[in-house]
């Protein structure tokens, strides 16, 4: 296998790291769009909770080779309770996200999902007592104001789908806070492995209430959902390893474009202009937050700027999502 991949690896290494990071972020955005479209296609015939279970099950099968042959026992931990909490938060977040996919346009889904990093920063401030500079506070307010532009609660009743998306982003943010705590004692491999293993039984319990046996065609689509989801998280993780967040994050905004095009071409969705404006404002807040965070880290440790890159967990979003 390594011999077959050697030419691809050789070409990949000739590309400058910042360009690789941007290309990987674009790949992640395309994979997220593919996953969202696939869920939306089969959701009318099979409940989102059942889709989520199979996505997790197939996902761990795809990730299993990464955990094999690691040498040390990746299951060794003293914090099983926190791993379980993180897995539970992730599962509920995905369940809410998949249900929201059946209720809202794809562009709305992506625009509101940008709020997760902002909520995670707020969570770190509240629960981990992390200090946030005034400029990062302004960035948070910018991002949250973008969410208000999308929701516009003063102009109309907030839809159930939008509320589910906010719930999903909040829970994903909570999972990120738990990951920060776990990363103090456990390796990234251990954190990712426990997330994959523990999410399956949690998702299975939820799926039991709506259980049905998928058809072969539905199984094929759900395998595709798992492939898209795993590919998105791996591409996202590698993008942040290749270059700083302030370099690769702007490319993440293309998810909104991909989602808008897919919704228009495949589902005849025409999101309001406020979705696009709000999505850009939310993303602006996320970008500014990352920029100011990096600047603060560089000031604290100017000798080794590479350590100033924000540490993004391999499976922090499937975004995430």
């Amino acid at each position: 296998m390594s011999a077959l991949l050697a030419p691809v690896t050789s070409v990949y290494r000739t590309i400058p790291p910042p360009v690789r990071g941007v290309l990987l972020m674009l790949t992640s955005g395309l994979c997220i769009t593919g996953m969202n479209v696939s869920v939306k296609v089969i959701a009318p015939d099979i409940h989102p909770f059942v889709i989520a279970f199979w996505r997790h099950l197939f996902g761990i099968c795809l990730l299993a080779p990464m955990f094999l042959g690691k040498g040390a026992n990746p299951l060794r931990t003293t914090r099983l309770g926190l791993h379980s909490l993180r897995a539970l938060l992730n599962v509920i977040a995905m369940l809410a996200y998949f249900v929201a996919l059946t209720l809202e346009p794809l562009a709305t889904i992506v625009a509101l999902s940008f709020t997760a990093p902002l909520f995670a920063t707020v969570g770190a401030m509240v629960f981990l007592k992390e200090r946030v500079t005034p400029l990062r506070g302004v960035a948070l307010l910018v991002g949250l104001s973008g969410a208000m532009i999308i929701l516009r609660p003063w102009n109309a009743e907030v839809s159930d789908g939008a509320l589910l998306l906010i719930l999903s982003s909040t829970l994903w943010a909570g999972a990120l806070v738990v990951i920060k705590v776990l990363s103090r004692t456990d390796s990234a491999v251990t954190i990712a492995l426990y997330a994959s293993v523990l999410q399956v039984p949690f998702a299975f319990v939820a799926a039991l209430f709506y259980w049905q046996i998928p058809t072969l065609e539905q199984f094929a689509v759900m395998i595709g959902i798992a492939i898209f989801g795993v590919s998105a998280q791996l591409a996202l993780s590698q993008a942040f390893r290749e270059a700083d967040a302030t370099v690769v994050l702007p490319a993440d905004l293309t998810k909104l474009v991909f989602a808008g095009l897919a919704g228009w071409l495949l589902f005849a969705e025409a999101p309001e202009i406020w979705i696009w404006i709000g999505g850009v404002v939310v993303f602006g807040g996320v970008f500014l937050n990352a920029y100011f965070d990096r600047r603060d880290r560089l000031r604290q440790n100017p000798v080794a700027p590479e350590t100033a890159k924000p540490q993004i967990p391999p499976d922090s979003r499937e975004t995430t999502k």
Side-chain angles (χ1 to χ4, degrees), residues 159-244:
S159 67
D160 292 341
L163 291 175
L164 284 170
L165 286 168
I166 293 297
L167 172 64
S168 177
S169 290
T170 303
L171 292 172
W172 256 310
L176 288 176
V177 174
V178 176
I179 289 171
K180 282 195 171 189
V181 177
L182 287 170
S183 64
R184 296 170 181 171
T185 56
D186 291 355
S187 69
V189 173
T190 298
I191 294 171
L193 178 57
Y194 269 106
S196 299
V197 171
L198 293 176
Q199 284 172 178
V200 172
F202 286 139
F204 179 66
V205 171
L208 281 177
F209 292 95
Y210 304 94
W211 189 254
Q212 65 186 94
I213 303 298
T215 65
L216 290 177
E217 291 80 5
Q218 290 168 341
F219 266 126
V221 174
M222 287 188 289
I223 291 173
I225 290 171
I227 292 173
F228 280 131
V230 169
S231 299
Q233 86 182 44
L234 294 178
L236 179 73
S237 174
Q238 189 60 32
F240 282 109
R241 291 192 181 100
E242 295 288 358
D244 190 82

Side-chain angles (χ1 to χ4, degrees), residues 39-61:
V39 172
K40 209 170 179 68
V41 166
I42 67 169
D45 301 315
I46 186 167
H47 196 276
F49 284 17
V50 179
I51 298 173
F53 164 69
W54 289 108
R55 181 263 173 269
H56 282 301
L57 185 62
F58 292 140
I60 193 174
C61 294

Side-chain angles (χ1 to χ4, degrees), residues 81-116:
L82 278 180
H83 285 291
S84 299
L85 174 61
R86 179 271 174 97
L88 181 61
L89 291 173
N90 266 21
V91 166
I92 299 175
M94 179 170 284
L95 295 177
Y97 185 81
F98 277 13
V99 173
L101 275 169
T102 68
L103 302 174
E104 296 292 333
L106 289 175
T108 305
I109 299 289
V110 170
L112 283 175
S113 70
F114 283 139
T115 59

Side-chain angles (χ1 to χ4, degrees), residues 115 118 137-148 278 281-286:
T115 59
L118 301 175
V138 171
L140 289 175
L141 291 176
V142 169
L144 295 176
S145 68
M148 289 297 100
V281 173
V282 171
F283 179 83
V286 173

Side-chain angles (χ1 to χ4, degrees), residues 249-318:
L249 268 179
D252 198 36
L253 188 59
T254 57
K255 284 195 303 189
L256 189 58
V257 178
F258 297 151
L261 288 173
W264 176 52
L265 294 173
L266 301 176
F267 305 105
E269 297 173 350
E272 297 179 346
I273 187 64
W274 298 110
I275 304 298
W276 297 94
I277 295 174
V280 172
V281 173
V282 171
F283 179 83
V286 173
F287 176 79
L288 288 174
N289 186 46
Y291 173 78
F292 292 134
D293 177 61
R294 178 180 184 276
R295 193 186 66 173
D296 294 340
R297 291 172 184 266
L298 282 172
R299 285 178 174 175
Q300 295 172 9
N301 190 8
V303 178
E306 66 275 5
T307 63
K309 294 180 182 180
Q311 297 301 305
I312 307 297
D315 51 345
S316 61
R317 293 190 301 171
E318 178 137 41

